[in-house]
């Protein structure tokens, strides 16, 4: 790899920038969670992805996979726990629990690995 360098106060610093800041600004919930996890818990992976220009694409892919997995888990949960026809609060409780279970699965399987 070759880098361009910037001279500041007589020192040379590599000119490294985020590959696609527009993609990173448009990430959803799961993409932002993955970005934060990499930044705080795996800084060596974060730096490598920034240097190679893969960070935005990686977070975008995780976002898509996480949304698909979340939908699948929610559908599966609702199939196992059918929604009642006439009780709004029970329907709300089941849908909320389905979302919570889906978030746990997504975080465990995709985000925090």
């Amino acid at each position: 790899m070759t880098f361009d360098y910037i001279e500041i106060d007589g020192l040379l610093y590599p000119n490294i920038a985020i590959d696609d800041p527009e993609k990173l600004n448009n990430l959803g919930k799961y993409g932002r969670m993955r970005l934060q996890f990499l930044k705080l818990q795996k800084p060596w992976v974060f730096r490598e992805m920034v240097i190679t220009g893969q960070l935005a694409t990686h977070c975008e892919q995780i976002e898509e996979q996480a949304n698909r997995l979340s939908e699948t888990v929610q559908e599966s949960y609702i199939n196992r726990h059918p929604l009642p026809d006439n009780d709004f609060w029970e329907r709300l409780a089941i849908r909320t629990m389905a979302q919570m279970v889906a978030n746990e699965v997504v975080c465990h399987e995709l985000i925090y690995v």
Side-chain angles (χ1 to χ4, degrees), residues 1-101:
M1 264 189 192
T2 60
F3 293 106
D4 294 327
Y5 291 90
I6 300 172
E7 184 177 347
I8 300 174
D9 295 330
L11 298 174
L12 294 176
Y13 295 95
N15 187 14
I16 299 173
I18 300 291
D19 54 340
D20 195 351
E22 183 69 27
K23 277 185 186 179
L24 290 177
N25 288 335
N26 292 331
L27 288 175
K29 171 185 175 179
Y30 296 119
R32 288 190 314 265
M33 288 171 69
R34 179 66 177 172
L35 180 65
Q36 284 297 88
F37 173 74
L38 290 175
K39 190 183 294 185
L40 298 175
Q41 300 299 321
K42 295 192 176 186
W44 60 92
V45 175
F46 178 81
R47 283 190 298 270
E48 181 179 330
M49 287 185 168
V50 168
I51 290 170
T52 59
Q54 298 174 347
L55 183 64
T57 304
H58 171 76
C59 290
E60 194 173 55
Q61 289 172 349
I62 292 292
E63 174 79 24
E64 291 170 8
Q65 292 174 2
N67 284 329
R68 283 195 304 269
L69 180 59
S70 177
E71 288 175 14
T72 303
V73 170
Q74 286 183 53
E75 288 173 11
S76 175
Y77 187 89
I78 290 174
N79 287 338
R80 289 188 190 142
H81 302 88
L83 299 174
D85 291 332
N86 55 357
D87 188 358
F88 170 78
W89 295 110
E90 184 66 23
R91 291 174 64 89
L92 180 64
I94 290 172
R95 288 195 182 274
T96 302
M97 185 59 73
Q99 178 64 45
M100 291 170 59
V101 168

